[in-house]
Amino acid sequence: MSKTLLLAGCSHTTGFGLKQEEKHWGQLFAEEYDYKITNVALAGSSLIYSINKIVEELNSNNFDLIILQLTDLERISIGVNGKQNFIKGKVEDTKEVIEHITVARYLDAVDKKENGIKFIYENILLSDFNLNNLINNLVLLQKFTKLLNTKLVLLPYDYNNWDINRKSSIWNLKNSQKINRDYYIEEPFLKWLKTNYNYDDYFLDKGFHLNQEGQKLFTFEYLIPNLKKLFII
């Protein structure tokens, strides 16, 4: 019987831009280790969105392994259902509509901009409240998965907010010390890639998304060795 794997993250976990016959890192890893995949990743989405989707899945399903691909901290997801007055309206179950706000630099990676809502807000600095709320939700998710005896791997893709040596790192916040790093991959993927390979050889669009060779490199040279170090596989 196959083991079960839950994936969450942004476009880097959806296989964004790949051809139909090509496979993203999650699929390659699942084939190698006989996992059945549930993938709740969504291009352009925030970390809070990913955490929420993982909790939704855990409320009704069990998983042997969860891999949460950590995205940039500046992303925000806002639930919006129409333009009616919320105060005068009623609270009821409706179709989930979410606007994912991200920075302008990602616009160049999107061919059909109407497929994703992208707002330019590069002059906005997120407050401690937003960042601490994110950290607290991540810590609660870790505690929840521990109760369920499910391994949750934190996989930092970009180094902007996840490289401990950068001034924009989440690890500069005192509250970040609450995050359990037992199953955290310490070296962000893009930092590892730039250190060891010719960066431009592995992307299909302006350095944003991996091509098929990049997906293979990510899986077999970065992900699997790191999971072995963490005694996940």
Side-chain angles (χ1 to χ4, degrees):
M1 184 177 180
S2 296
K3 296 165 289 187
T4 51
L5 169 65
L6 176 61
L7 300 177
C10 62
S11 56
H12 303 302
T13 303
T14 65
F16 185 94
L18 292 177
K19 297 176 183 178
Q20 188 173 0
E21 67 273 14
E22 295 178 326
K23 297 177 181 179
H24 62 73
W25 64 264
Q27 294 168 314
L28 295 170
F29 172 73
E31 287 183 358
E32 186 74 10
Y33 287 91
D34 193 25
Y35 278 99
K36 180 181 179 181
I37 296 179
T38 298
N39 192 346
V40 295
L42 179 67
S45 60
S46 67
L47 188 49
I48 282 289
Y49 174 87
S50 295
I51 291 171
N52 183 64
K53 286 299 177 183
I54 292 174
V55 172
E56 286 182 0
E57 288 294 327
L58 290 174
N59 282 333
S60 55
N61 299 293
N62 296 316
F63 296 94
D64 296 296
L65 176 62
I66 302 170
I67 300 179
L68 170 56
Q69 173 249 311
L70 302 169
T71 190
D72 291 340
L73 299 180
E74 75 269 6
R75 294 184 178 184
I76 301 174
S77 298
I78 301 176
V80 178
N81 281 336
K83 296 182 179 180
Q84 62 183 335
N85 191 314
F86 180 75
I87 298 175
K88 295 180 180 179
K90 60 180 179 179
V91 177
E92 59 183 345
D93 288 327
T94 57
K95 181 181 179 181
E96 182 181 83
V97 180
I98 301 176
E99 296 189 358
H100 299 286
I101 303 174
T102 187
V103 295
R105 66 176 179 270
Y106 293 102
L107 288 170
D108 290 337
V110 181
D111 293 327
K112 298 181 179 179
K113 295 178 176 57
E114 65 273 17
N115 290 347
I117 300 174
K118 308 286 184 181
F119 290 94
I120 300 175
Y121 80 124
E122 290 170 324
N123 294 316
I124 292 177
L125 178 65
L126 292 181
S127 72
D128 287 350
F129 171 80
N130 287 304
L131 295 174
N132 284 322
N133 179 56
L134 173 61
I135 291 169
N136 291 337
N137 275 273
L138 183 56
V139 170
L140 287 172
L141 176 62
Q142 288 183 315
K143 292 182 178 181
F144 185 29
T145 54
K146 186 176 182 179
L147 286 173
L148 296 175
N149 198 28
T150 300
K151 292 180 179 178
L152 169 66
V153 173
L154 304 181
L155 191 163
Y157 185 90
D158 204 345
Y159 51 82
N160 242 4
N161 300 132
W162 299 101
D163 182 358
I164 196 169
N165 296 314
R166 293 179 71 90
K167 66 179 183 179
S168 56
S169 173
I170 192 172
W171 305 114
N172 293 327
L173 299 175
K174 290 181 180 179
N175 202 31
S176 69
Q177 303 311 308
K178 297 177 182 177
I179 300 173
N180 188 312
R181 291 163 71 169
D182 288 348
Y183 296 141
Y184 174 71
I185 298 176
E186 292 291 341
E187 186 174 24
F189 169 69
L190 288 186
K191 181 179 180 181
W192 173 87
L193 180 63
K194 286 187 174 183
T195 301
N196 296 285
Y197 294 90
N198 183 5
Y199 187 86
D200 295 331
D201 290 343
Y202 297 97
F203 288 90
L204 50 83
D205 56 6
K206 301 183 180 181
F208 288 105
H209 299 96
L210 294 172
N211 58 27
Q212 185 65 95
E213 287 306 308
Q215 298 288 343
K216 292 178 181 178
L217 185 74
F218 182 103
T219 305
F220 298 106
E221 301 299 327
Y222 174 78
L223 177 62
I224 290 176
N226 275 293
L227 292 183
K228 288 181 178 179
K229 288 180 183 177
L230 298 176
F231 300 102
I232 299 296
I233 54 176

